[in-house]
Amino acid sequence: MSFFHGGNDGQKGMGLIMLILIGTVPTAYALNRTMHEEDVTQFVAVSLQARTVFSHYGAAAEPADPHAAALEVVRKRAVSPQGVAALGALAGSIAQQVDRYHSMAKVPAGSMVNIRNDMYLVSEGLRFMGKSSALGVTAADKKILDAYKKELDHSTKFIPTWVKVAVAIALGLAR
């Protein structure tokens, strides 16, 4: 594949390995289990700040099923006040679940995939929220939401060091 598509061989290799790892052992690689307890504390604090920001732009009432409403935001690729309320509810739920365990490594296997899916939905919802001018999000609130998206992505979009080293060695031996 890399021969025909040119550069960025390392990124392709790491991406393929991560797809295989997440597909075969999702409980081990769904969340960044190497996050330190201080990072988790930071994550929870930013999550709660983001939830407050969501409440400024969301509908008055949270939907009965916030997961389904957030999924609808991602499907439609557009955010509404009801969608923002759903994202806020999920942000609160994520913060509560992560805070309960004080470490990503202590999250039980049964909860791992659900938390990751919720994090992904909120992260994607934030991406669409950032593109929407209809909500009129202030610069200060955008800064908080950007920090929250960064925390979510750090928790879900990671590559273990051993994968990076393995790909580097493989590429070094191939040339």
Side-chain angles (χ1 to χ4, degrees):
M1 181 174 93
S2 295
F3 179 75
F4 293 106
H5 294 298
N8 297 329
D9 297 344
Q11 286 180 327
K12 291 175 200 168
M14 288 183 280
L16 288 170
I17 291 172
M18 288 308 297
L19 281 173
I20 292 166
L21 289 173
I22 290 172
T24 57
V25 281
T27 56
Y29 295 99
L31 292 176
N32 186 355
R33 293 177 156 273
T34 62
M35 286 179 67
H36 298 289
E37 201 165 313
E38 303 86 38
D39 296 333
V40 172
T41 303
Q42 170 73 16
F43 176 86
V44 171
V46 173
S47 297
L48 296 176
Q49 288 177 339
R51 180 151 192 204
T52 302
V53 171
F54 285 129
S55 70
H56 298 158
Y57 304 98
E62 291 180 355
D65 185 359
H67 184 84
L71 191 58
E72 196 61 27
V73 167
V74 174
R75 275 193 194 124
K76 289 183 177 180
R77 298 178 171 260
V79 66
S80 65
Q82 293 79 16
V84 173
L87 295 175
L90 279 182
S93 172
I94 292 166
Q96 186 180 40
Q97 291 178 66
V98 171
D99 191 36
R100 180 181 319 143
Y101 303 112
H102 303 292
S103 168
M104 293 292 192
K106 294 178 185 173
V107 174
S111 300
M112 185 80 58
V113 175
N114 291 335
I115 292 173
R116 185 194 197 301
N117 288 343
D118 287 349
M119 286 179 170
Y120 174 77
L121 285 176
V122 174
S123 179
E124 286 299 296
L126 284 168
R127 188 167 65 91
F128 298 126
M129 198 171 163
K131 292 179 180 181
S132 173
S133 59
L135 295 173
V137 180
T138 66
D141 287 346
K142 278 185 183 180
K143 189 175 178 181
I144 292 169
L145 294 176
D146 288 344
Y148 184 47
K149 183 169 179 10
K150 188 175 180 180
E151 291 287 336
L152 289 169
D153 290 346
H154 177 67
S155 300
T156 58
K157 297 177 182 178
F158 68 99
I159 299 175
T161 304
W162 70 266
V163 171
K164 294 175 186 177
V165 171
V167 169
I169 290 171
L171 288 174
L173 292 174
R175 299 209 173 177

